Structure formats: C-alpha cells, structure tokens
Amino acid sequence: MPHRIVPDIVGEQDLCVLPGDASVREAAKLMADRHIGAVMVGKDGRLEGIFTERDLTIRIVARGRDPEGTKLWEVMTKDPDTASPSDTPASALKRMRDRGFRHLPVVNGKQIVAIVSVRDLYANVNRELENDVRDRDAFIFGVGHGGLA
C-alpha cells in the first residue's frame, strides 16, 4: 500500500499558525525559535496563506521593509497550493519540485492538518530506497538479518 502524507510522513504536529495581523517579526521569531522554515497563516483553523524564509528574504529584507510594522497578510503567499492528507509523498514532492516550493500545507478542505517540507519527503524517499536495496540484496544473495542464509 502506498504511503500517504498523513500519517506516514507527518503525524501529530504542533502546528505553527499565526493570524494575518501578526507582524513579520513575530513570524520570524517563531520560525527561529522552532527551527522551521515556514509558518502557516490562518484563522479558526482555516488556511489563508503561508509565510516562508524565502518570503522573509525577498519581500522584507531585500525591499528594506520594517518587519515590526509589516503584517503577514501584506506579504504572505495567499491561498497557497496545498496537499491532502491522503496524497502520496511522491505526488507532493513532484508538485513541490515543479513549482519550486520547499513547504506545502496539508489541509482537509480548508482546515489545516499539517505542513510537510521537502526535507521530510526526501527523507521518506531515501528510507524507501534503502528498504528496496535491502530487499533486493536479500532476494539476490539470500542475505537476511545481517548474515548469509
């Protein structure tokens, strides 16, 4: 059975969601404190946008905007592409690669469920490749559990 984004890639998450009237500085501090590259912007559990490290660099720092006086709703990516909890990691990774994203909110309808990063997805792909190689070697060489059969 193919893996799904939820629960195979992301399980329970402590979601980082800020309201649109939060300042960019608040978002940057949350991202720094939590060691994350994006925060979702929403209200009442519903996704309105996403604000990422790239947004901080391009829309704030490069343009000389004041992070304290700039609200997230002014600079977030509104109505971002999203994934469904039942999407496969491969389909999410392809969408992210094709469109240049590093973070993809996971929603059920408009309700925020999680966020997945390209790092999460590549880690899953790497584990699957390692398992495939191990299974192939066991089949070809009759190796199981660290020794010869």
Side-chain angles (χ1 to χ4, degrees), residues 1-10 85-89:
M1 177 174 198
H3 284 178
R4 301 291 174 210
I5 292 176
V6 175
D8 299 315
I9 306 303
V10 293
S86 62
D87 285 351
T88 65

Side-chain angles (χ1 to χ4, degrees), residues 5-6 10-13 15 40 47 83 85 104-108 111-116:
I5 292 176
V6 175
V10 293
E12 291 292 318
Q13 282 186 338
L15 297 175
M40 292 177 286
L47 183 67
L104 192 60
V106 181
V107 298
N108 189 0
Q111 197 70 28
I112 299 168
V113 174
I115 189 167
V116 66

Side-chain angles (χ1 to χ4, degrees), residues 89-111:
S91 68
L93 190 57
K94 181 179 183 332
R95 184 175 320 133
M96 293 169 81
R97 184 188 67 231
D98 290 349
R99 297 183 182 162
F101 303 149
R102 291 187 304 225
H103 300 90
L104 192 60
V106 181
V107 298
N108 189 0
K110 279 279 194 177
Q111 197 70 28

Side-chain angles (χ1 to χ4, degrees), residues 7-63:
D8 299 315
I9 306 303
V10 293
E12 291 292 318
Q13 282 186 338
D14 185 13
L15 297 175
C16 292
V17 182
L18 291 172
D21 63 355
S23 72
V24 167
R25 182 176 309 283
E26 289 175 75
K29 178 154 179 25
L30 179 61
M31 289 168 23
D33 290 347
R34 299 284 302 278
H35 303 286
I36 56 176
V39 294
M40 292 177 286
V41 182
K43 184 177 180 182
D44 300 324
R46 296 177 63 83
L47 183 67
E48 297 175 339
I50 187 171
F51 183 76
T52 68
E53 295 166 319
R54 191 175 292 161
D55 295 327
L56 181 62
T57 302
I58 295 170
R59 297 176 179 176
I60 302 299
V61 176
R63 293 188 180 157

